[in-house]
């Protein structure tokens, strides 16, 4: 081993490896001690929210709105049913309403509550227990009322979509029944039934002729054993 190689090995062993170990250890400790962050993919404007800054009821409501809103965006946004929402789709009023609720109203309501929450130097109990002036609700209850209103609107939209698609299925079935129960189709089916009956009758006559053959005089060719003379 040359002197240059030995110096390189010493540099890796006593320089690079310890530094890498310290860096990875720092990243690991930081990841473990960092507060858990909440992310709502259907509402990116919310950003990353510390889990401890929201009550359990608020997190549950946001999860429901996130899931329902994502479904509604596809239902009312993907109007040409190509699996994606783009410029080829026709924008309707319901889709715009859903977008505004998820991109604007929900993030604003959560941001307002978090400001109330941060006003308390303690554990944030001020927003959860102190009633807002000239009202009978706390900051937490006010936020839950907003989220409940949006949640109810999403339920109504999903319910309307269900019945709308159900009516399409019923209309398709009525059309098919009318199409296949038309007089022309009935006549064709009756003709096929008559043809089948004629074929069956003809086959029965052939079988009967084979079982009871006749001679040239028209008498039956079957002879009983007692008529045979030895």
């Amino acid at each position: 081993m040359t002197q240059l190689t030995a110096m390189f090995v010493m540099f890796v062993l006593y320089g690079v490896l310890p530094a890498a170990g310290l860096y990875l250890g720092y990243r690991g400790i930081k990841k473990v001690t960092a507060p858990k962050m909440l992310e709502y993919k259907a509402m990116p404007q919310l950003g990353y929210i510390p889990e401890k800054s929201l009550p359990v009821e608020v997190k549950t409501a946001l999860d429901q709105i996130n899931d329902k809103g994502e479904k509604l965006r596809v239902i009312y946004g993907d109007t040409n049913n190509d699996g994606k929402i783009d410029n080829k789709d026709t924008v309707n009023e319901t889709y715009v309403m859903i977008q505004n609720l998820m991109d604007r109203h929900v993030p604003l309501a959560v941001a307002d509550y978090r400001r109330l929450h941060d006003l308390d130097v303690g554990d944030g109990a001020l927003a959860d227990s102190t009633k807002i002036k000239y009202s009978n609700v706390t900051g937490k209850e006010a936020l839950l009322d907003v989220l409940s209103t949006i949640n109810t609107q999403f339920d109504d939209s999903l319910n309307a979509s269900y019945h709308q698609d159900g009516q399409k299925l019923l209309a398709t079935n009525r059309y098919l029944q009318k199409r296949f129960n038309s007089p022309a189709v009935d006549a064709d089916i009756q003709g096929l039934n008559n043809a089948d009956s004629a074929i069956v009758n003809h086959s029965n006559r052939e079988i009967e002729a084979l079982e009871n053959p006749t001679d040239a005089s028209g008498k039956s060719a079957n002879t009983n054993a007692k008529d045979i003379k030895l």
Side-chain angles (χ1 to χ4, degrees), residues 65-92:
I65 292 174
N66 185 75
D67 294 340
K68 296 173 185 178
E70 190 171 7
K71 293 178 181 178
L72 288 170
R73 271 181 171 166
V74 175
I75 292 173
Y76 291 99
D78 184 18
T79 55
N80 59 359
N81 295 321
D82 62 352
K84 57 183 178 180
I85 302 174
D86 50 27
N87 295 331
K88 297 180 181 179
D89 296 301
T90 303
V91 177
N92 55 55

Side-chain angles (χ1 to χ4, degrees), residues 40 42-43 58-72 101-102 106 146-152 154:
Y40 300 93
M43 297 182 288
V58 173
K59 289 184 288 186
T60 301
L62 287 175
D63 287 336
Q64 293 173 349
I65 292 174
N66 185 75
D67 294 340
K68 296 173 185 178
E70 190 171 7
K71 293 178 181 178
L72 288 170
L101 288 175
M102 299 184 68
V106 173
V146 173
L147 299 180
S148 177
T149 300
I150 296 174
N151 219 342
T152 301
F154 281 3

